[in-house]
Amino acid sequence: GPEPLPLKNGDYLFLYNSARKANIPNPKPNWNLEYNIGYVILDGNNPLNIKYRSDEPIMCPQLDWEKCDYDSGSWSAKGLT
C-alpha cells in the first residue's frame, strides 16, 4: 500500500489491503478472495502503536463487474477478480 500519510495532530493514516472469502463462486481455481481497503491510525510518536483500526473495510467490491459475478449476464466474462 501507500506510505502512511501524516495527520495534523502528528499521527499517521495508513491504508492497507485486506482479503476475505468471497461469497460469489468463481470458476477459476483458488480465486475465492475479495480484496478490500482498510485503515489504521498510527501513533506519531511510536508508529508501532495502533490507535484505531477500521472494523469494516472502507472500500470493497459492490457492483457485478467488480465482483466478477458469473451470473451477471454480460459482465460475467468481463469482470475483475
Side-chain angles (χ1 to χ4, degrees):
E3 65 182 73
L5 300 169
L7 300 173
K8 288 183 181 181
N9 67 356
D11 292 336
Y12 294 94
L13 169 65
F14 181 66
L15 301 174
Y16 63 90
N17 232 351
S18 66
R20 62 183 173 190
K21 291 265 187 186
N23 60 1
I24 295 174
N26 192 314
K28 296 177 184 176
N30 300 317
W31 285 71
N32 61 350
L33 296 177
E34 168 187 282
Y35 292 92
N36 307 283
I37 297 174
Y39 75 94
V40 295
I41 303 295
L42 303 173
D43 187 330
N45 295 315
N46 178 3
L48 297 176
N49 182 26
I50 296 173
K51 288 186 155 185
Y52 182 80
R53 181 177 177 179
S54 57
D55 292 330
E56 294 291 325
I58 58 173
M59 184 180 281
C60 58
Q62 295 181 0
L63 304 175
D64 290 345
W65 64 270
E66 295 171 323
K67 292 182 177 185
C68 201
D69 185 344
Y70 283 84
D71 292 327
S72 66
S74 67
W75 286 112
S76 65
K78 300 175 186 174
L80 302 173
T81 52

